[in-house]
Amino acid sequence: FSQPVAALIARIQHEGGARCREACRIAEEQLRGLASDPFTGRMTGQIHLTDTKGGKPRTIQVSTGLYTDLEKTIAFHGGVLHVSMGSDAKAVRQAAARAGEALGGTHAFRYCFARRRYKELTMSLTEKAGLTHEAAIQQVSWEMGHERASITMLYLR
């Protein structure tokens, strides 16, 4: 297990809002290609998550650069990126310690995702964005795999 793979998993969590468990095992067939984000118009890579908390599959969006890196890594590893959650958490803790940063664990990446995505959806920088507060919270909630928007509110404090 290498630091570049740990960094890749962290980026999937940070950019796409995936849980550690969801990002630590991604197979080639889960890669769904590139598509336009319906809210920002930005081109993104699509990853279909199937082993999710609650058992409800969802598709997350990541940057095209991350998507390309993920495609290459999965191909290098024979079609599946698979890292134990414990190994990933340990690598993240070590990286945070080296950087002199306090980290509350890999779940912190989901907090960052929720805050960034909420801001992105409520800013009226594009024709498509500019959702209301309630609509943005609900959208972020669905993207994170939550059933209730009230759960997502904990991430936005």
Side-chain angles (χ1 to χ4, degrees):
F1 177 58
S2 67
Q3 285 294 16
V5 171
L8 183 73
I9 292 168
R11 289 170 58 203
I12 293 166
Q13 291 183 266
H14 184 260
E15 289 186 21
R19 292 175 180 88
C20 182
R21 172 182 166 185
E22 298 164 343
C24 281
R25 182 172 173 77
I26 299 176
E28 185 175 20
E29 59 270 10
Q30 291 175 255
L31 303 180
R32 299 294 169 92
L34 302 179
S36 178
D37 179 323
F39 298 100
T40 67
R42 186 178 60 242
M43 192 59 66
T44 61
Q46 309 290 304
I47 306 168
H48 189 67
L49 302 177
T50 54
D51 186 19
T52 62
K53 184 177 179 181
K56 293 192 176 186
R58 71 181 191 285
T59 299
I60 62 170
Q61 301 178 108
V62 296
S63 67
T64 56
L66 171 52
Y67 188 81
T68 299
D69 291 347
L70 180 59
E71 284 181 311
K72 290 176 186 174
T73 302
I74 287 174
F76 180 79
H77 289 279
V80 178
L81 171 65
H82 187 199
V83 173
S84 78
M85 289 174 39
S87 295
D88 180 61
K90 181 179 178 182
V92 169
R93 282 192 307 274
Q94 289 172 342
R98 282 194 304 276
E101 295 289 331
L103 180 71
T106 61
H107 212 69
F109 298 125
R110 281 175 53 87
Y111 281 84
C112 293
F113 165 80
R115 291 176 183 141
R116 178 193 51 80
R117 187 64 168 159
Y118 173 82
K119 286 179 185 175
E120 186 175 67
L121 293 174
T122 55
M123 294 180 145
S124 57
L125 299 176
T126 68
E127 291 177 12
K128 296 180 181 182
L131 297 179
T132 65
H133 169 74
E134 293 80 13
I137 289 172
Q138 186 61 65
Q139 183 60 36
V140 172
S141 182
W142 289 328
E143 290 179 13
M144 294 180 74
H146 294 152
E147 283 295 312
R148 298 182 321 268
S150 60
I151 300 297
T152 303
M153 288 300 297
L154 299 172
Y155 288 80
L156 298 175
R157 291 183 185 182

Short mmCIF file of all heavy atoms in Angstrom, two decimals, residues 113-123 132-134 136-137 140 156:
data_model
loop_
_atom_site.label_atom_id
_atom_site.label_comp_id
_atom_site.label_asym_id
_atom_site.label_seq_id
_atom_site.Cartn_x
_atom_site.Cartn_y
_atom_site.Cartn_z
N PHE A 113 -16.03 18.14 1.75
CA PHE A 113 -16.85 18.01 0.55
C PHE A 113 -18.19 18.72 0.73
O PHE A 113 -18.62 19.50 -0.11
CB PHE A 113 -17.10 16.53 0.21
CG PHE A 113 -18.22 16.35 -0.79
CD1 PHE A 113 -17.97 16.55 -2.14
CD2 PHE A 113 -19.50 16.05 -0.38
CE1 PHE A 113 -19.01 16.43 -3.07
CE2 PHE A 113 -20.53 15.93 -1.29
CZ PHE A 113 -20.28 16.12 -2.65
N ALA A 114 -18.87 18.45 1.84
CA ALA A 114 -20.20 19.01 2.08
C ALA A 114 -20.16 20.53 2.06
O ALA A 114 -21.01 21.18 1.43
CB ALA A 114 -20.76 18.51 3.41
N ARG A 115 -19.19 21.11 2.71
CA ARG A 115 -19.09 22.58 2.77
C ARG A 115 -18.79 23.17 1.40
O ARG A 115 -19.39 24.16 1.00
CB ARG A 115 -18.04 22.97 3.80
CG ARG A 115 -18.50 22.65 5.21
CD ARG A 115 -17.42 22.94 6.22
NE ARG A 115 -17.89 22.55 7.54
CZ ARG A 115 -17.12 21.98 8.45
NH1 ARG A 115 -15.86 21.73 8.20
NH2 ARG A 115 -17.63 21.65 9.62
N ARG A 116 -17.85 22.55 0.69
CA ARG A 116 -17.49 23.06 -0.63
C ARG A 116 -18.66 22.95 -1.60
O ARG A 116 -19.00 23.88 -2.32
CB ARG A 116 -16.28 22.32 -1.20
CG ARG A 116 -15.90 22.79 -2.63
CD ARG A 116 -14.93 21.86 -3.32
NE ARG A 116 -15.30 20.46 -3.31
CZ ARG A 116 -16.19 19.91 -4.16
NH1 ARG A 116 -16.81 20.64 -5.06
NH2 ARG A 116 -16.45 18.62 -4.10
N ARG A 117 -19.31 21.78 -1.59
CA ARG A 117 -20.40 21.55 -2.54
C ARG A 117 -21.59 22.46 -2.24
O ARG A 117 -22.22 22.99 -3.15
CB ARG A 117 -20.81 20.07 -2.51
CG ARG A 117 -21.83 19.71 -3.56
CD ARG A 117 -21.29 19.87 -4.96
NE ARG A 117 -22.21 19.24 -5.91
CZ ARG A 117 -22.28 19.52 -7.19
NH1 ARG A 117 -21.45 20.40 -7.72
NH2 ARG A 117 -23.14 18.89 -7.97
N TYR A 118 -21.89 22.65 -0.95
CA TYR A 118 -22.98 23.56 -0.59
C TYR A 118 -22.71 24.96 -1.14
O TYR A 118 -23.59 25.57 -1.75
CB TYR A 118 -23.17 23.60 0.93
CG TYR A 118 -24.16 24.64 1.36
CD1 TYR A 118 -25.54 24.38 1.30
CD2 TYR A 118 -23.75 25.89 1.80
CE1 TYR A 118 -26.46 25.36 1.67
CE2 TYR A 118 -24.66 26.87 2.16
CZ TYR A 118 -26.01 26.60 2.08
OH TYR A 118 -26.91 27.57 2.44
N LYS A 119 -21.51 25.46 -0.93
CA LYS A 119 -21.16 26.80 -1.44
C LYS A 119 -21.27 26.85 -2.95
O LYS A 119 -21.77 27.81 -3.53
CB LYS A 119 -19.74 27.18 -1.00
CG LYS A 119 -19.63 27.53 0.45
CD LYS A 119 -18.21 27.88 0.82
CE LYS A 119 -18.09 28.11 2.31
NZ LYS A 119 -16.70 28.32 2.73
N GLU A 120 -20.78 25.80 -3.59
CA GLU A 120 -20.83 25.73 -5.05
C GLU A 120 -22.28 25.76 -5.56
O GLU A 120 -22.57 26.42 -6.55
CB GLU A 120 -20.14 24.43 -5.48
CG GLU A 120 -19.96 24.22 -6.94
CD GLU A 120 -19.14 22.96 -7.19
OE1 GLU A 120 -19.64 21.85 -6.91
OE2 GLU A 120 -18.01 23.10 -7.67
N LEU A 121 -23.16 25.07 -4.89
CA LEU A 121 -24.55 24.99 -5.33
C LEU A 121 -25.36 26.24 -5.03
O LEU A 121 -26.36 26.51 -5.69
CB LEU A 121 -25.24 23.78 -4.70
CG LEU A 121 -24.74 22.41 -5.16
CD1 LEU A 121 -25.41 21.30 -4.35
CD2 LEU A 121 -24.95 22.21 -6.65
N THR A 122 -24.95 27.01 -4.02
CA THR A 122 -25.72 28.20 -3.67
C THR A 122 -25.19 29.47 -4.31
O THR A 122 -25.89 30.47 -4.35
CB THR A 122 -25.77 28.40 -2.14
OG1 THR A 122 -24.44 28.44 -1.62
CG2 THR A 122 -26.58 27.30 -1.47
N MET A 123 -23.99 29.44 -4.82
CA MET A 123 -23.46 30.61 -5.51
C MET A 123 -24.07 30.70 -6.90
O MET A 123 -24.21 29.70 -7.58
CB MET A 123 -21.94 30.54 -5.62
CG MET A 123 -21.24 30.62 -4.32
SD MET A 123 -19.46 30.52 -4.61
CE MET A 123 -18.90 31.60 -3.35
N THR A 132 -31.56 27.33 -3.84
CA THR A 132 -31.93 27.86 -2.54
C THR A 132 -31.18 27.08 -1.46
O THR A 132 -30.67 25.97 -1.72
CB THR A 132 -33.44 27.71 -2.29
OG1 THR A 132 -33.75 26.31 -2.23
CG2 THR A 132 -34.26 28.40 -3.37
N HIS A 133 -31.18 27.62 -0.26
CA HIS A 133 -30.53 26.95 0.87
C HIS A 133 -31.07 25.53 1.04
O HIS A 133 -30.30 24.57 1.13
CB HIS A 133 -30.78 27.79 2.14
CG HIS A 133 -30.41 27.12 3.41
ND1 HIS A 133 -29.10 26.95 3.81
CD2 HIS A 133 -31.19 26.56 4.38
CE1 HIS A 133 -29.08 26.32 4.98
NE2 HIS A 133 -30.34 26.08 5.34
N GLU A 134 -32.38 25.38 1.06
CA GLU A 134 -33.00 24.08 1.27
C GLU A 134 -32.68 23.11 0.13
O GLU A 134 -32.38 21.94 0.37
CB GLU A 134 -34.53 24.21 1.40
CG GLU A 134 -34.97 24.94 2.66
CD GLU A 134 -34.86 26.48 2.55
OE1 GLU A 134 -34.68 27.02 1.42
OE2 GLU A 134 -34.94 27.14 3.60
N ALA A 136 -30.12 23.19 -1.93
CA ALA A 136 -28.70 22.86 -1.92
C ALA A 136 -28.40 21.82 -0.84
O ALA A 136 -27.65 20.87 -1.07
CB ALA A 136 -27.86 24.11 -1.69
N ILE A 137 -28.99 21.99 0.33
CA ILE A 137 -28.77 21.01 1.41
C ILE A 137 -29.30 19.64 0.99
O ILE A 137 -28.64 18.62 1.19
CB ILE A 137 -29.41 21.48 2.72
CG1 ILE A 137 -28.62 22.65 3.28
CG2 ILE A 137 -29.47 20.34 3.75
CD1 ILE A 137 -29.25 23.34 4.46
N VAL A 140 -26.84 18.13 -1.64
CA VAL A 140 -25.61 17.66 -0.99
C VAL A 140 -25.92 16.38 -0.21
O VAL A 140 -25.13 15.43 -0.24
CB VAL A 140 -25.01 18.74 -0.06
CG1 VAL A 140 -23.87 18.18 0.76
CG2 VAL A 140 -24.54 19.94 -0.88
N LEU A 156 -22.35 20.83 7.91
CA LEU A 156 -22.24 22.22 7.49
C LEU A 156 -22.08 23.20 8.65
O LEU A 156 -22.02 24.40 8.44
CB LEU A 156 -23.48 22.62 6.67
CG LEU A 156 -23.67 21.82 5.38
CD1 LEU A 156 -24.98 22.21 4.72
CD2 LEU A 156 -22.49 22.03 4.44
#
